[in-house]
Amino acid sequence: MARERSILERIKNRIETVNGSGSFTYDLSGADQVKIGAKFSGDRLPSAYIYTTGITTEQVAGRTTLVNYDRTMSVSVELFVGANSADPGEVHLVGMDAASDIMIALENDRTLNGNANDLEIAMATFDGEEFDMPGIAVVVCQMQVTYSETAGA
């Protein structure tokens, strides 16, 4: 199995640990709430959609051994959360709560079960009104997942 597949599946698994209890605000633990490669359908909120947006390979002198490549996978997670208010400030805060849930879940396993060296996360929240989805907070998470791959393996 490709390491990239394992990374995406682990990201999905980590997001599914967001269960609305403890330090989590929302519940994404349902079997149909986190999907890889699917488009937003609006049938269930909250919901998350995971996409790979690119992979780069490099060899860095002094860091990368001759038999390895350093890779960076760019992953996007789009999260949609229902807001109980049309107030833009509240929608933004709902989005930030959801973003926090995702960061807590992913940063709890930064190596993604040993498949990565590290991950870095950048988040942005939007009022769904901007996308003709009133009452929905939209969160876009951009991740950089770094890992090493043996040449020819």
Side-chain angles (χ1 to χ4, degrees):
M1 176 173 16
R3 181 176 303 228
E4 293 78 9
R5 179 187 185 103
S6 297
I7 288 170
L8 291 175
E9 288 175 344
R10 185 62 178 179
I11 290 169
K12 179 180 186 285
N13 173 267
R14 292 303 312 154
I15 294 172
E16 288 172 335
T17 66
V18 174
N19 61 11
S21 66
S23 56
F24 296 122
T25 304
Y26 293 100
D27 186 356
L28 287 158
S29 63
D32 61 342
Q33 287 179 269
V34 183
K35 299 176 183 176
I36 297 173
K39 292 184 179 182
F40 174 65
S41 61
D43 57 337
R44 181 121 185 228
L45 294 174
S47 56
Y49 301 85
I50 305 165
Y51 309 93
T52 303
T53 57
I55 299 172
T56 58
T57 299
E58 64 181 346
Q59 288 184 313
V60 179
R63 184 181 79 194
T64 309
T65 62
L66 288 176
V67 296
N68 285 345
Y69 286 99
D70 291 331
R71 293 194 176 152
T72 301
M73 176 190 284
S74 299
V75 178
S76 178
V77 177
E78 297 173 1
L79 179 63
F80 300 86
V81 181
N84 293 327
S85 170
D87 174 61
E90 181 59 24
V91 174
H92 180 74
L93 292 173
V94 164
M96 289 309 301
D97 288 341
S100 177
D101 284 352
I102 297 298
M103 286 188 286
I104 290 168
L106 292 170
E107 290 171 347
N108 190 42
D109 180 12
R110 292 173 46 184
T111 68
L112 300 173
N113 204 32
N115 288 299
N117 298 333
D118 203 358
L119 60 88
E120 295 179 354
I121 303 171
M123 295 274 197
T125 63
F126 303 93
D127 187 336
E129 186 76 39
E130 296 178 43
F131 308 104
D132 295 324
M133 294 185 288
I136 295 178
V138 179
V139 179
V140 178
C141 165
Q142 297 292 327
M143 277 184 283
Q144 300 298 311
V145 180
T146 57
Y147 58 103
S148 243
E149 194 71 82
T150 303

